[in-house]
Amino acid sequence: MVKLHRKVIGSAAMFSAAGLVLAGCAAADEDATSGGEVEVVDQSAFEEALSTPTELTMWAWVPDIQNQVDMFMEEYPAIDVTVENVGQGLDHYTAIRTALSAGSGAPDVVQMELQYIASFDVTNDLLDLAAYGAGDLEDDFVPWVWNQVTAGERVLAIPQDSGPMGNLYRQDIMEAAGVTTPPATWEEYAEAAQAVRDNTDSYISNLPSGQAGQWVGLLWQAGAKPFGFDGDSGVTVNVNSDRAKEVVTYWEELIKNDLVSTDPDFTDEWYQGLNQGLYAGWLTAAWAPVFLSGAAEDTSGLWRAAPLPQWGEGENVSGNWGGSSSAVLSATENPIAAYELARWINMDQEPALAFATEQFLFPTANSVLADPAWLEQEPEFYGNQRVNEVFADISESVDVEFQWLPYMDFAYSSFNETMGVEIDAKGDLSAGLDAWQEALVEYGEQQGFSVNE
Amino acid sequence: MNAQTTSSVKTKNTRPVKVRKTSRVKRRTNLSAYGFVAPFLIIFFLMLFIPLAYSGYISLFIERIVGGINFVGLENYARAIEDPRFHEGLGRTALILLIQVPIMLGLALIFALALDSGYARGSNLLRLLIFMPYAVPSVVSTLMWGYMYGQNFGLVGQLATSIGLPAPDLLSPGVILFSIMNIVTWAFVGYNMIIMYSALKAIPSEVYEAAEIDGASQFRLAWSIKIPALRPALLLTTIFSVIGSFQIFVEPSLLSPLAPSAIGQSFTPNYYAYNLAFVNSELNYAAAIAFSLGVVIMIVSYAVQLSTQRKRVAE
């Protein structure tokens, strides 16, 4: 704890130094700052804001996040934080939008999944945290995650968790099929899929037709850049690129030959399928290992983790599926305290480590990723394999440059109606991508964006 | 009292003050009547009229993510009229109207007649059992059916496999509409039956006695007395069912995670309006769709009512 305090004081000192310098030249500099340097709020303003009695509201659905908030309130007794859970996913974002357009009742800090940041940035609802010194936090986070929460010099949120993708598989079923090592390339994976189908009653994995996020993660790994957003009114839609088509054509073969199933996930059927060995694997994100050990309890000890198969031999690349951050809404009346809340719970070692070890979020802060208390866990469900180590390594291999559209709600829902339909019909997935492309371009133009194809 | 005052006024004064005098009394009566309906009127105004007027108002604008809000007049309605997705949803509703509503009302009628005939043993228990699904919240019943529909591990699939048949995929694109019709029928047969049953109970027993003396059979009783007497109840249940079919929302919205590619955004018009507002952030167009849907419902309900009235006149 002493150590932590020193760290806080250390960074405080740094803030104040920067603050003094900037305060000194702020008046003269006002016109000249247009280009590079971000003006950071004065340290004395920080001290004042954090010692003034303040009430903050945070909307989040992470279970027991109250624990982290309690730690925060102990650290900053003047600040009183209320945590509210207004729903998960879509419900949560709808509630935020409603509160923002009503002009009152909006929280100060919100949980925000990585792919939604652009959607709220385009309407200028997110506070640029660079003005509060967030620019200096870059080196504390994994580079690809940092890229997800920033737009140029602007910092739009503080990372909370992420979902680099790997391969969870049933070792017993794979061995029964004669596959003794996890497939290293997608070519080997297709062969293994055939072997599993020939020798067992299982599918090597289930790739749901309705799980756009998972499909996008696989495109991400392949280096396809389906989306782009310039932070203003220009978007790039390129979901039917040649690279993306290569990826879906690969899956089209497997789906047509009945080598992978495409059942909807997170349904009763799917849980049964996992427990009863219908699916011998799951190409999934780093938040899944702990989730799976609860969802498929009957199969404890039989699962193992490995990186995703690769497109080229000897490569080591992954994609991401899911992940969240803490963002401050620009409507807040207490920007400094709100920023500190978002920063502190995700960066201070005690709350951040608790996210990883108690709430099982996959960490994004380097200090937690390197913490033995988390890294060296040996869960029984995975035959005492150090699963966190596997995914910590994968996290370093995630392609850094990946962007989202400022309308991912629509993008994912229209995925179901274009790609999803083709996947379920075991049809032409490239045509599915073309239809998806068309829907995304049409919607973008209708919403007033200039769309780059 | 009224007559008294008027007559006395008449004798004293030829000028027609009587209008004013009675109206004062009447006004007082009216006022207290208004007092009694005021709670309704206030709530009606606050909860129904204002929101309706407001959504009518916002349906005249378009808000774009880039470019803000603009007044566009009836452009949203022009788009709705031409929107193939809206038509597609209405088409599905029409199928439900043509297939599911007759089946459901037919079943309800048969059950009501059977229970009323007095020949069914334990009719009170039966009536309760048939009615019970209606008491199950539609969210619960949809989840339950969704679970039973599951191809690999659901009840229907497992039954089929146990007798050596291939498990049907009741959640596939071609079948899902019928699976939904099944849920709706299951839930609402009992409700419609109760309405018809109470209408049957209201038929005076003298009519039956007279028919029996004339030697009418049970079948003849049902055909010539009960069904004609049920006409108002049938009309009522038909109109409720028409409105209910157009408003189907819970079933597609809860089944869509189980059948994401079979249930698109515009599966039913109501579900479409919801998705437009909360997924596509096209609130204004959603309001226009909702209003257009309201107009369609009014037209269809009115047509149903008119056609039955005409029949009566023809007789």
Side-chain angles (χ1 to χ4, degrees), chain A residues 419-441:
Chain A
M419 272 293 279
V421 170
E422 293 290 344
I423 294 167
D424 271 349
K426 299 185 194 288
D428 182 347
L429 299 199
S430 297
L433 283 183
D434 289 339
W436 193 25
Q437 170 82 10
E438 199 180 316
L440 293 178
V441 170

Side-chain angles (χ1 to χ4, degrees), chain B residues 91-119:
Chain B
R92 273 195 203 94
T93 312
L95 269 183
I96 294 176
L97 272 185
L98 292 176
I99 301 173
Q100 185 264 334
V101 171
I103 293 178
M104 173 180 69
L105 294 183
L107 282 174
L109 180 64
I110 291 171
F111 287 141
L113 289 172
L115 289 178
D116 186 60
S117 72
Y119 286 102

